Amino acid sequence: MNAAEKPFLMHVEDVFCLNQGRVLMLTGRIERGRVRKGDDVELVGFHSSLVAHVTDIDAGKLRVDEARAGMNVGLLLRGVPAGAAERGQVLAAPGSIEAHGGFAADIVVLPEHQGGAEVLTGGRLHLSIHAADVWGVVTLSHDTDVLRPLHQGAVTVTLERPVALEEGQSFAFRHHGRAAGSGTVTRLLR
């Protein structure tokens, strides 16, 4: 199944308040699926989950009736409180994705000269999951005491705020303010 045939998903990269807060425009690149003017979409992540109505679609300063995977767009939504939407959330087909507060992953630590540092159980990492930036606490697998630069291993991450996630999703992480490695979600936790 190609990206256009899957359920709609767009990572929110920016939020704009229009018409004195009565309309929100959420911008981003459509990762998969398509959305039409008049569709309902769900805003997921960071303790929010609400359904909104797409009143218009802005694609490069042109108004269009439909947008597909690969397009950078602004979706105009009515009825969403101004503080409910922020960068890092996702807009999706209702019920197609959920926010999770933790996950299991396989991670790879960069070499030391590129920013890699030891990763220990209880360590806090700054994760970049598409447009979302969130802190997470790492727990190493039982047979591992430390992950050193250039090593890889299985970990469990508990997030400070729930993020819309799927198995197989990739992410990057920073440690002490420097790029430190990357990983892939292997299992979702509640």
Side-chain angles (χ1 to χ4, degrees), residues 53-128:
H53 189 72
V54 177
T55 59
D56 229 329
I57 302 170
D58 184 74
K61 300 190 181 191
L62 296 173
R63 296 295 166 124
V64 296
D65 291 331
E66 179 180 291
R68 296 176 176 266
M71 293 177 69
N72 290 310
V73 298
L75 299 182
L76 281 79
L77 308 175
R78 274 207 190 274
V80 178
E86 63 181 289
R87 177 183 169 84
Q89 292 175 302
V90 300
L91 281 176
S96 63
I97 191 169
E98 294 180 4
H100 295 270
F103 59 90
D106 289 327
I107 65 168
V108 177
V109 183
L110 289 173
E112 195 170 349
H113 70 275
Q114 293 181 353
E118 290 184 345
V119 176
L120 303 166
T121 292
R124 287 181 76 226
L125 299 177
H126 186 241
L127 297 121
S128 296

Side-chain angles (χ1 to χ4, degrees), residues 103 105-108 127 153 168-173 181-186:
F103 59 90
D106 289 327
I107 65 168
V108 177
L127 297 121
Q169 190 166 354
S170 61
F171 61 93
F173 60 90
S182 62
T184 303
V185 176
T186 57

